[in-house]
Amino acid sequence: MTLRQASESAGAWLLAAMGNSDGTEYPRGPRLWAAGHVFDAVVVADRLGIEAVDWYRRLGSQAPPSAIDHRARKVAFLVAPVGEPFFAGALTVLRGDVPYRYLSTGGYLLVPGPGAETGDRYQWLSKPTEESILDRDAVALLAGHLLIASRNLSAAAEGTDDE
């Protein structure tokens, strides 16, 4: 199986897992997913995550599957299971620093149920689709978008935002 085939099956797996109602009778209820096999997760502060998703949209591309936990004020991006050193290396190559937590084997993530609605604690910012790409390039691209978002938020806080 090639990396591309693995990525394509990852999108299908995420959709199937999201719709799976085993263990819960509440379609709005969150699901507990284990990281490290089909996906890893990069977790950032909510403002940074929302801004990064917005940058994907501004640039006309699809953000990786991402979920927000409103109470914890965190956003988790689902990425290819490449390991934290790869993600940290991408940040280093891009000469940036972003506060994040990386979840891989042994880590668990609560994601929204398929019936999540406005006002729920857990919501999708960018739902998984059949076309969801989970590969190394997407991980490096996420690092870049997080850096753009971080710099944009810093500029706005300092009053130097050029937009």
Side-chain angles (χ1 to χ4, degrees):
M1 177 180 287
T2 68
L3 186 57
R4 179 73 179 173
Q5 289 169 325
S7 173
E8 290 168 357
S9 65
W13 184 92
L14 293 173
L15 280 177
M18 187 173 73
N20 185 356
S21 60
D22 290 349
T24 182
E25 54 193 63
Y26 305 104
R28 289 175 60 186
R31 309 297 199 256
L32 182 66
W33 288 356
H37 178 62
V38 174
F39 71 92
D40 284 354
V42 176
V43 182
V44 297
D46 60 349
R47 290 187 67 205
L48 180 59
I50 291 167
E51 183 72 13
V53 169
D54 189 47
W55 272 104
Y56 273 96
R57 291 180 180 144
R58 288 181 199 182
L59 297 172
S61 58
Q62 182 180 353
S66 52
I68 186 167
D69 177 343
H70 289 288
R71 192 171 306 148
R73 301 189 63 165
K74 301 288 183 191
V75 171
F77 291 92
L78 306 183
V79 297
V82 295
E84 195 273 337
F86 181 85
F87 181 75
L91 287 174
T92 300
V93 166
L94 296 171
R95 297 186 182 140
D97 186 29
V98 172
Y100 69 92
R101 181 170 178 218
Y102 195 92
L103 299 177
S104 192
T105 303
Y108 292 87
L109 182 67
L110 279 169
V111 298
E117 297 177 6
T118 302
D120 288 348
R121 175 178 177 172
Y122 301 97
Q123 294 177 314
W124 288 106
L125 292 178
S126 180
K127 279 187 174 183
T129 66
E130 286 281 345
E131 293 79 35
S132 293
I133 302 298
L134 299 181
D135 63 14
R136 286 180 175 269
D137 292 343
V139 174
L141 190 59
L142 173 62
H145 278 81
L146 287 172
L147 288 171
I148 291 168
S150 177
R151 291 178 181 147
N152 190 55
L153 288 173
S154 293
E158 294 170 4
T160 60
D161 191 11
D162 291 335
E163 285 190 280

